[in-house]
Amino acid sequence: MHKRIAGLMASVGVVMAVTVPAQANAQPLGDVAAVSAALQSAAMPISTRTAASVATTLSRIAGGAPRYNYFPRSVHLVEGQAQPFLYDTAAADCLPSGFGSDNYSVGIAQAIAGPAVDESLPVPIIAPGQVNVFFSAMNTAMSSPRQADLLEVAWVNLSTMASGRAPLHQQRPADYIVTLSNTLDTGRGTVVFVVFGSVLDNTSNGLPPCDFAPVVGVVQT
């Protein structure tokens, strides 16, 4: 478990070190506290549930939970294909009581590298050197363009060392599952992405936001 936590945080750190200002090194901590400290040092919008979400994500991976075979119906690809991120992420303790002990949301991150065409986007053409990153939060009902979802993506192009950071928002028509996205000008090459932050469920009736463990993807553009 410790090695998996270290590996996850190392992947996140590769991207965040390039896209946020350097900060003083924190003293080493143990287990979930170390995860929480690492996320805070990366300037990510997190809560006390984020470290628990990391633990839930790692537990699912270590337990061999099958990956979700989910593709949003609001994504209408007529050219190109989606590339899944390296693993499914999770957000702990954010679903109604009816889910019992499984009251976590699974997050599915994917990317479409140009050239591609997605007819559901405001600008359908994803040009070469652009990537549309989209994230679906399972078991959460429709998002709203006016909702204050705090989901972000950071990226670094390993071929050019260009980098950036941007919010994910509702570009596509509202679907039953919250799906947020953004089209990024990454340039051509091998691009590493980290999606992190929270999603709100507009039917949650006072439930906390779903604060997801960071999820990493590697995309060839």
Side-chain angles (χ1 to χ4, degrees), residues 107-137:
I108 315 299
Q110 303 178 66
I112 304 165
V117 177
D118 181 349
E119 292 182 333
S120 64
L121 289 173
V123 179
I125 296 175
I126 303 169
Q130 292 185 325
V131 179
N132 182 264
V133 175
F134 59 101
F135 182 93
S136 300

PDB file of all heavy atoms in Angstrom, residues 107-137:
ATOM      1  N   GLY A 107     -14.508   7.862 -10.361  1.00  0.00           N
ATOM      2  CA  GLY A 107     -14.261   8.858 -11.390  1.00  0.00           C
ATOM      3  C   GLY A 107     -13.561   8.240 -12.583  1.00  0.00           C
ATOM      4  O   GLY A 107     -12.577   7.512 -12.434  1.00  0.00           O
ATOM      5  N   ILE A 108     -14.072   8.532 -13.784  1.00  0.00           N
ATOM      6  CA  ILE A 108     -13.533   7.992 -15.026  1.00  0.00           C
ATOM      7  C   ILE A 108     -12.973   9.145 -15.841  1.00  0.00           C
ATOM      8  O   ILE A 108     -13.718  10.009 -16.310  1.00  0.00           O
ATOM      9  CB  ILE A 108     -14.615   7.266 -15.854  1.00  0.00           C
ATOM     10  CG1 ILE A 108     -15.465   6.342 -14.968  1.00  0.00           C
ATOM     11  CG2 ILE A 108     -13.995   6.509 -17.011  1.00  0.00           C
ATOM     12  CD1 ILE A 108     -14.694   5.253 -14.284  1.00  0.00           C
ATOM     13  N   ALA A 109     -11.653   9.181 -16.018  1.00  0.00           N
ATOM     14  CA  ALA A 109     -11.006  10.230 -16.801  1.00  0.00           C
ATOM     15  C   ALA A 109     -10.545   9.659 -18.138  1.00  0.00           C
ATOM     16  O   ALA A 109     -10.001   8.559 -18.198  1.00  0.00           O
ATOM     17  CB  ALA A 109      -9.820  10.811 -16.040  1.00  0.00           C
ATOM     18  N   GLN A 110     -10.779  10.425 -19.199  1.00  0.00           N
ATOM     19  CA  GLN A 110     -10.394  10.018 -20.542  1.00  0.00           C
ATOM     20  C   GLN A 110      -9.938  11.248 -21.318  1.00  0.00           C
ATOM     21  O   GLN A 110     -10.142  12.383 -20.884  1.00  0.00           O
ATOM     22  CB  GLN A 110     -11.581   9.346 -21.257  1.00  0.00           C
ATOM     23  CG  GLN A 110     -12.132   8.143 -20.507  1.00  0.00           C
ATOM     24  CD  GLN A 110     -13.334   7.527 -21.200  1.00  0.00           C
ATOM     25  OE1 GLN A 110     -13.214   6.987 -22.295  1.00  0.00           O
ATOM     26  NE2 GLN A 110     -14.494   7.611 -20.565  1.00  0.00           N
ATOM     27  N   ALA A 111      -9.307  11.020 -22.462  1.00  0.00           N
ATOM     28  CA  ALA A 111      -8.810  12.130 -23.266  1.00  0.00           C
ATOM     29  C   ALA A 111      -8.958  11.792 -24.738  1.00  0.00           C
ATOM     30  O   ALA A 111      -8.848  10.642 -25.148  1.00  0.00           O
ATOM     31  CB  ALA A 111      -7.352  12.420 -22.939  1.00  0.00           C
ATOM     32  N   ILE A 112      -9.214  12.830 -25.539  1.00  0.00           N
ATOM     33  CA  ILE A 112      -9.306  12.709 -26.990  1.00  0.00           C
ATOM     34  C   ILE A 112      -8.250  13.638 -27.583  1.00  0.00           C
ATOM     35  O   ILE A 112      -8.313  14.857 -27.414  1.00  0.00           O
ATOM     36  CB  ILE A 112     -10.693  13.119 -27.512  1.00  0.00           C
ATOM     37  CG1 ILE A 112     -11.786  12.294 -26.833  1.00  0.00           C
ATOM     38  CG2 ILE A 112     -10.771  12.970 -29.023  1.00  0.00           C
ATOM     39  CD1 ILE A 112     -13.181  12.869 -27.018  1.00  0.00           C
ATOM     40  N   ALA A 113      -7.259  13.050 -28.238  1.00  0.00           N
ATOM     41  CA  ALA A 113      -6.198  13.842 -28.857  1.00  0.00           C
ATOM     42  C   ALA A 113      -6.549  14.139 -30.306  1.00  0.00           C
ATOM     43  O   ALA A 113      -7.054  13.278 -31.029  1.00  0.00           O
ATOM     44  CB  ALA A 113      -4.872  13.088 -28.776  1.00  0.00           C
ATOM     45  N   GLY A 114      -6.277  15.365 -30.739  1.00  0.00           N
ATOM     46  CA  GLY A 114      -6.540  15.721 -32.128  1.00  0.00           C
ATOM     47  C   GLY A 114      -5.517  15.113 -33.078  1.00  0.00           C
ATOM     48  O   GLY A 114      -4.419  14.717 -32.644  1.00  0.00           O
ATOM     49  N   PRO A 115      -5.872  14.947 -34.336  1.00  0.00           N
ATOM     50  CA  PRO A 115      -7.107  15.462 -34.943  1.00  0.00           C
ATOM     51  C   PRO A 115      -8.305  14.584 -34.616  1.00  0.00           C
ATOM     52  O   PRO A 115      -8.225  13.358 -34.697  1.00  0.00           O
ATOM     53  CB  PRO A 115      -6.789  15.432 -36.441  1.00  0.00           C
ATOM     54  CG  PRO A 115      -5.785  14.320 -36.586  1.00  0.00           C
ATOM     55  CD  PRO A 115      -4.974  14.346 -35.338  1.00  0.00           C
ATOM     56  N   ALA A 116      -9.383  15.209 -34.217  1.00  0.00           N
ATOM     57  CA  ALA A 116     -10.608  14.502 -33.869  1.00  0.00           C
ATOM     58  C   ALA A 116     -11.778  15.464 -34.024  1.00  0.00           C
ATOM     59  O   ALA A 116     -11.595  16.689 -34.085  1.00  0.00           O
ATOM     60  CB  ALA A 116     -10.549  13.966 -32.441  1.00  0.00           C
ATOM     61  N   VAL A 117     -12.975  14.896 -34.074  1.00  0.00           N
ATOM     62  CA  VAL A 117     -14.192  15.696 -34.162  1.00  0.00           C
ATOM     63  C   VAL A 117     -15.191  15.140 -33.160  1.00  0.00           C
ATOM     64  O   VAL A 117     -15.528  13.957 -33.193  1.00  0.00           O
ATOM     65  CB  VAL A 117     -14.799  15.672 -35.582  1.00  0.00           C
ATOM     66  CG1 VAL A 117     -16.105  16.461 -35.609  1.00  0.00           C
ATOM     67  CG2 VAL A 117     -13.818  16.225 -36.596  1.00  0.00           C
ATOM     68  N   ASP A 118     -15.649  15.994 -32.255  1.00  0.00           N
ATOM     69  CA  ASP A 118     -16.682  15.644 -31.283  1.00  0.00           C
ATOM     70  C   ASP A 118     -17.826  16.641 -31.471  1.00  0.00           C
ATOM     71  O   ASP A 118     -17.715  17.810 -31.112  1.00  0.00           O
ATOM     72  CB  ASP A 118     -16.132  15.720 -29.866  1.00  0.00           C
ATOM     73  CG  ASP A 118     -17.156  15.344 -28.805  1.00  0.00           C
ATOM     74  OD1 ASP A 118     -18.354  15.231 -29.139  1.00  0.00           O
ATOM     75  OD2 ASP A 118     -16.763  15.179 -27.641  1.00  0.00           O
ATOM     76  N   GLU A 119     -18.910  16.174 -32.070  1.00  0.00           N
ATOM     77  CA  GLU A 119     -20.005  17.062 -32.440  1.00  0.00           C
ATOM     78  C   GLU A 119     -20.723  17.677 -31.253  1.00  0.00           C
ATOM     79  O   GLU A 119     -21.503  18.616 -31.411  1.00  0.00           O
ATOM     80  CB  GLU A 119     -21.003  16.305 -33.317  1.00  0.00           C
ATOM     81  CG  GLU A 119     -20.450  15.941 -34.690  1.00  0.00           C
ATOM     82  CD  GLU A 119     -21.487  15.243 -35.549  1.00  0.00           C
ATOM     83  OE1 GLU A 119     -22.395  14.596 -34.969  1.00  0.00           O
ATOM     84  OE2 GLU A 119     -21.383  15.328 -36.788  1.00  0.00           O
ATOM     85  N   SER A 120     -20.487  17.173 -30.048  1.00  0.00           N
ATOM     86  CA  SER A 120     -21.171  17.713 -28.874  1.00  0.00           C
ATOM     87  C   SER A 120     -20.429  18.895 -28.262  1.00  0.00           C
ATOM     88  O   SER A 120     -20.953  19.563 -27.372  1.00  0.00           O
ATOM     89  CB  SER A 120     -21.358  16.620 -27.821  1.00  0.00           C
ATOM     90  OG  SER A 120     -20.101  16.175 -27.340  1.00  0.00           O
ATOM     91  N   LEU A 121     -19.200  19.170 -28.712  1.00  0.00           N
ATOM     92  CA  LEU A 121     -18.433  20.286 -28.161  1.00  0.00           C
ATOM     93  C   LEU A 121     -18.855  21.608 -28.809  1.00  0.00           C
ATOM     94  O   LEU A 121     -19.258  21.631 -29.973  1.00  0.00           O
ATOM     95  CB  LEU A 121     -16.940  20.068 -28.387  1.00  0.00           C
ATOM     96  CG  LEU A 121     -16.282  18.969 -27.562  1.00  0.00           C
ATOM     97  CD1 LEU A 121     -14.844  18.751 -28.029  1.00  0.00           C
ATOM     98  CD2 LEU A 121     -16.314  19.315 -26.076  1.00  0.00           C
ATOM     99  N   PRO A 122     -18.725  22.728 -28.104  1.00  0.00           N
ATOM    100  CA  PRO A 122     -19.026  24.030 -28.703  1.00  0.00           C
ATOM    101  C   PRO A 122     -18.189  24.293 -29.959  1.00  0.00           C
ATOM    102  O   PRO A 122     -18.669  24.864 -30.925  1.00  0.00           O
ATOM    103  CB  PRO A 122     -18.687  25.023 -27.585  1.00  0.00           C
ATOM    104  CG  PRO A 122     -18.783  24.227 -26.333  1.00  0.00           C
ATOM    105  CD  PRO A 122     -18.366  22.830 -26.681  1.00  0.00           C
ATOM    106  N   VAL A 123     -16.911  23.888 -29.912  1.00  0.00           N
ATOM    107  CA  VAL A 123     -16.047  23.905 -31.102  1.00  0.00           C
ATOM    108  C   VAL A 123     -15.736  22.443 -31.405  1.00  0.00           C
ATOM    109  O   VAL A 123     -14.889  21.830 -30.747  1.00  0.00           O
ATOM    110  CB  VAL A 123     -14.753  24.702 -30.852  1.00  0.00           C
ATOM    111  CG1 VAL A 123     -13.869  24.668 -32.091  1.00  0.00           C
ATOM    112  CG2 VAL A 123     -15.080  26.138 -30.460  1.00  0.00           C
ATOM    113  N   PRO A 124     -16.422  21.836 -32.377  1.00  0.00           N
ATOM    114  CA  PRO A 124     -16.345  20.373 -32.564  1.00  0.00           C
ATOM    115  C   PRO A 124     -14.972  19.841 -32.947  1.00  0.00           C
ATOM    116  O   PRO A 124     -14.631  18.714 -32.617  1.00  0.00           O
ATOM    117  CB  PRO A 124     -17.354  20.109 -33.685  1.00  0.00           C
ATOM    118  CG  PRO A 124     -18.262  21.300 -33.681  1.00  0.00           C
ATOM    119  CD  PRO A 124     -17.408  22.454 -33.265  1.00  0.00           C
ATOM    120  N   ILE A 125     -14.172  20.659 -33.648  1.00  0.00           N
ATOM    121  CA  ILE A 125     -12.887  20.166 -34.153  1.00  0.00           C
ATOM    122  C   ILE A 125     -11.820  20.267 -33.059  1.00  0.00           C
ATOM    123  O   ILE A 125     -11.576  21.348 -32.501  1.00  0.00           O
ATOM    124  CB  ILE A 125     -12.452  20.948 -35.395  1.00  0.00           C
ATOM    125  CG1 ILE A 125     -13.444  20.721 -36.541  1.00  0.00           C
ATOM    126  CG2 ILE A 125     -11.037  20.550 -35.824  1.00  0.00           C
ATOM    127  CD1 ILE A 125     -13.163  21.546 -37.779  1.00  0.00           C
ATOM    128  N   ILE A 126     -11.199  19.125 -32.748  1.00  0.00           N
ATOM    129  CA  ILE A 126     -10.042  19.072 -31.858  1.00  0.00           C
ATOM    130  C   ILE A 126      -8.823  18.962 -32.778  1.00  0.00           C
ATOM    131  O   ILE A 126      -8.616  17.940 -33.426  1.00  0.00           O
ATOM    132  CB  ILE A 126     -10.129  17.877 -30.902  1.00  0.00           C
ATOM    133  CG1 ILE A 126     -11.435  17.935 -30.094  1.00  0.00           C
ATOM    134  CG2 ILE A 126      -8.921  17.845 -29.962  1.00  0.00           C
ATOM    135  CD1 ILE A 126     -11.735  16.676 -29.310  1.00  0.00           C
ATOM    136  N   ALA A 127      -8.065  20.031 -32.862  1.00  0.00           N
ATOM    137  CA  ALA A 127      -6.984  20.114 -33.842  1.00  0.00           C
ATOM    138  C   ALA A 127      -5.761  19.326 -33.383  1.00  0.00           C
ATOM    139  O   ALA A 127      -5.613  19.021 -32.188  1.00  0.00           O
ATOM    140  CB  ALA A 127      -6.601  21.582 -34.058  1.00  0.00           C
ATOM    141  N   PRO A 128      -4.860  18.993 -34.301  1.00  0.00           N
ATOM    142  CA  PRO A 128      -3.580  18.391 -33.887  1.00  0.00           C
ATOM    143  C   PRO A 128      -2.878  19.299 -32.880  1.00  0.00           C
ATOM    144  O   PRO A 128      -2.846  20.523 -33.042  1.00  0.00           O
ATOM    145  CB  PRO A 128      -2.797  18.310 -35.202  1.00  0.00           C
ATOM    146  CG  PRO A 128      -3.849  18.245 -36.269  1.00  0.00           C
ATOM    147  CD  PRO A 128      -4.976  19.109 -35.767  1.00  0.00           C
ATOM    148  N   GLY A 129      -2.339  18.698 -31.826  1.00  0.00           N
ATOM    149  CA  GLY A 129      -1.726  19.491 -30.764  1.00  0.00           C
ATOM    150  C   GLY A 129      -2.694  19.931 -29.693  1.00  0.00           C
ATOM    151  O   GLY A 129      -2.298  20.593 -28.729  1.00  0.00           O
ATOM    152  N   GLN A 130      -3.967  19.550 -29.826  1.00  0.00           N
ATOM    153  CA  GLN A 130      -4.968  19.805 -28.790  1.00  0.00           C
ATOM    154  C   GLN A 130      -5.443  18.479 -28.203  1.00  0.00           C
ATOM    155  O   GLN A 130      -5.438  17.442 -28.878  1.00  0.00           O
ATOM    156  CB  GLN A 130      -6.173  20.554 -29.345  1.00  0.00           C
ATOM    157  CG  GLN A 130      -5.888  21.976 -29.778  1.00  0.00           C
ATOM    158  CD  GLN A 130      -7.151  22.695 -30.209  1.00  0.00           C
ATOM    159  OE1 GLN A 130      -8.069  22.113 -30.785  1.00  0.00           O
ATOM    160  NE2 GLN A 130      -7.213  24.004 -29.930  1.00  0.00           N
ATOM    161  N   VAL A 131      -5.865  18.530 -26.945  1.00  0.00           N
ATOM    162  CA  VAL A 131      -6.411  17.354 -26.266  1.00  0.00           C
ATOM    163  C   VAL A 131      -7.644  17.787 -25.487  1.00  0.00           C
ATOM    164  O   VAL A 131      -7.597  18.761 -24.729  1.00  0.00           O
ATOM    165  CB  VAL A 131      -5.391  16.719 -25.297  1.00  0.00           C
ATOM    166  CG1 VAL A 131      -6.009  15.511 -24.590  1.00  0.00           C
ATOM    167  CG2 VAL A 131      -4.124  16.297 -26.030  1.00  0.00           C
ATOM    168  N   ASN A 132      -8.750  17.072 -25.673  1.00  0.00           N
ATOM    169  CA  ASN A 132      -9.936  17.280 -24.844  1.00  0.00           C
ATOM    170  C   ASN A 132      -9.917  16.250 -23.718  1.00  0.00           C
ATOM    171  O   ASN A 132      -9.963  15.045 -23.965  1.00  0.00           O
ATOM    172  CB  ASN A 132     -11.226  17.141 -25.654  1.00  0.00           C
ATOM    173  CG  ASN A 132     -12.462  17.403 -24.826  1.00  0.00           C
ATOM    174  OD1 ASN A 132     -13.087  16.475 -24.313  1.00  0.00           O
ATOM    175  ND2 ASN A 132     -12.822  18.660 -24.677  1.00  0.00           N
ATOM    176  N   VAL A 133      -9.799  16.728 -22.495  1.00  0.00           N
ATOM    177  CA  VAL A 133      -9.826  15.867 -21.313  1.00  0.00           C
ATOM    178  C   VAL A 133     -11.218  15.916 -20.734  1.00  0.00           C
ATOM    179  O   VAL A 133     -11.777  17.002 -20.531  1.00  0.00           O
ATOM    180  CB  VAL A 133      -8.789  16.333 -20.274  1.00  0.00           C
ATOM    181  CG1 VAL A 133      -8.910  15.518 -18.994  1.00  0.00           C
ATOM    182  CG2 VAL A 133      -7.378  16.227 -20.842  1.00  0.00           C
ATOM    183  N   PHE A 134     -11.815  14.747 -20.468  1.00  0.00           N
ATOM    184  CA  PHE A 134     -13.145  14.739 -19.852  1.00  0.00           C
ATOM    185  C   PHE A 134     -13.199  13.739 -18.712  1.00  0.00           C
ATOM    186  O   PHE A 134     -12.510  12.728 -18.710  1.00  0.00           O
ATOM    187  CB  PHE A 134     -14.248  14.499 -20.883  1.00  0.00           C
ATOM    188  CG  PHE A 134     -14.165  13.202 -21.659  1.00  0.00           C
ATOM    189  CD1 PHE A 134     -14.964  12.119 -21.328  1.00  0.00           C
ATOM    190  CD2 PHE A 134     -13.312  13.083 -22.744  1.00  0.00           C
ATOM    191  CE1 PHE A 134     -14.910  10.945 -22.053  1.00  0.00           C
ATOM    192  CE2 PHE A 134     -13.253  11.915 -23.483  1.00  0.00           C
ATOM    193  CZ  PHE A 134     -14.055  10.837 -23.134  1.00  0.00           C
ATOM    194  N   PHE A 135     -14.018  14.069 -17.718  1.00  0.00           N
ATOM    195  CA  PHE A 135     -14.068  13.336 -16.458  1.00  0.00           C
ATOM    196  C   PHE A 135     -15.521  13.114 -16.077  1.00  0.00           C
ATOM    197  O   PHE A 135     -16.309  14.058 -16.025  1.00  0.00           O
ATOM    198  CB  PHE A 135     -13.359  14.137 -15.363  1.00  0.00           C
ATOM    199  CG  PHE A 135     -13.300  13.460 -14.020  1.00  0.00           C
ATOM    200  CD1 PHE A 135     -12.204  12.692 -13.665  1.00  0.00           C
ATOM    201  CD2 PHE A 135     -14.342  13.604 -13.108  1.00  0.00           C
ATOM    202  CE1 PHE A 135     -12.138  12.080 -12.424  1.00  0.00           C
ATOM    203  CE2 PHE A 135     -14.290  13.001 -11.867  1.00  0.00           C
ATOM    204  CZ  PHE A 135     -13.186  12.227 -11.525  1.00  0.00           C
ATOM    205  N   SER A 136     -15.876  11.852 -15.805  1.00  0.00           N
ATOM    206  CA  SER A 136     -17.240  11.488 -15.409  1.00  0.00           C
ATOM    207  C   SER A 136     -17.237  10.980 -13.978  1.00  0.00           C
ATOM    208  O   SER A 136     -16.418  10.129 -13.611  1.00  0.00           O
ATOM    209  CB  SER A 136     -17.795  10.402 -16.342  1.00  0.00           C
ATOM    210  OG  SER A 136     -17.817  10.852 -17.679  1.00  0.00           O
ATOM    211  N   ALA A 137     -18.144  11.508 -13.169  1.00  0.00           N
ATOM    212  CA  ALA A 137     -18.263  11.124 -11.760  1.00  0.00           C
ATOM    213  C   ALA A 137     -19.465  10.196 -11.602  1.00  0.00           C
ATOM    214  O   ALA A 137     -20.611  10.646 -11.610  1.00  0.00           O
ATOM    215  CB  ALA A 137     -18.411  12.362 -10.883  1.00  0.00           C
TER     216      ALA A 137
END
